[in-house]
Amino acid sequence: MLWSSFKNNRYCIGQAISTTGKIAGPWRQSDVLLYEAHGSHGMLFHTFDARLMLTLHGPNTPPGTERAQLVELIDAGDCLKPAK
C-alpha cells in the first residue's frame, strides 16, 4: 500500500506491506520512503520493458509548478526501494 504524508515539512510517499499478502493485513510499515522530494499521490506501473515505476506529482508547490515525476523502483522482496 502506498501512502502520502509529511516528513520535515515535505510531502513524501511511504509504503506498508501486508505480512499475509492479503488486503486485510496485518500491515507492516516500511522504513524505506519511496519519495522524499516534496511530491505525492503515487501510483505504480510496469514499463513495456518490465521496469517498475512510480509516477507522482511534484514538487508540491504553488499551482502551475507541479509536473509528473517518474521514479524507477526495485522490488527488494520485503519492500520497494528507489533504484537510485
Side-chain angles (χ1 to χ4, degrees), residues 18-66:
S18 172
T19 59
T20 62
K22 298 181 189 262
I23 193 75
W27 294 85
R28 173 185 60 82
Q29 294 294 322
S30 173
D31 293 333
V32 178
L33 290 175
L34 298 179
Y35 194 80
E36 297 184 61
H38 209 37
S40 74
H41 300 118
M43 294 174 33
L44 301 175
F45 69 95
H46 283 97
T47 63
F48 292 120
D49 60 354
R51 292 181 297 144
L52 179 60
M53 303 294 287
L54 169 68
T55 183
L56 59 117
H57 70 80
N60 194 40
T61 53
T65 60
E66 292 178 308

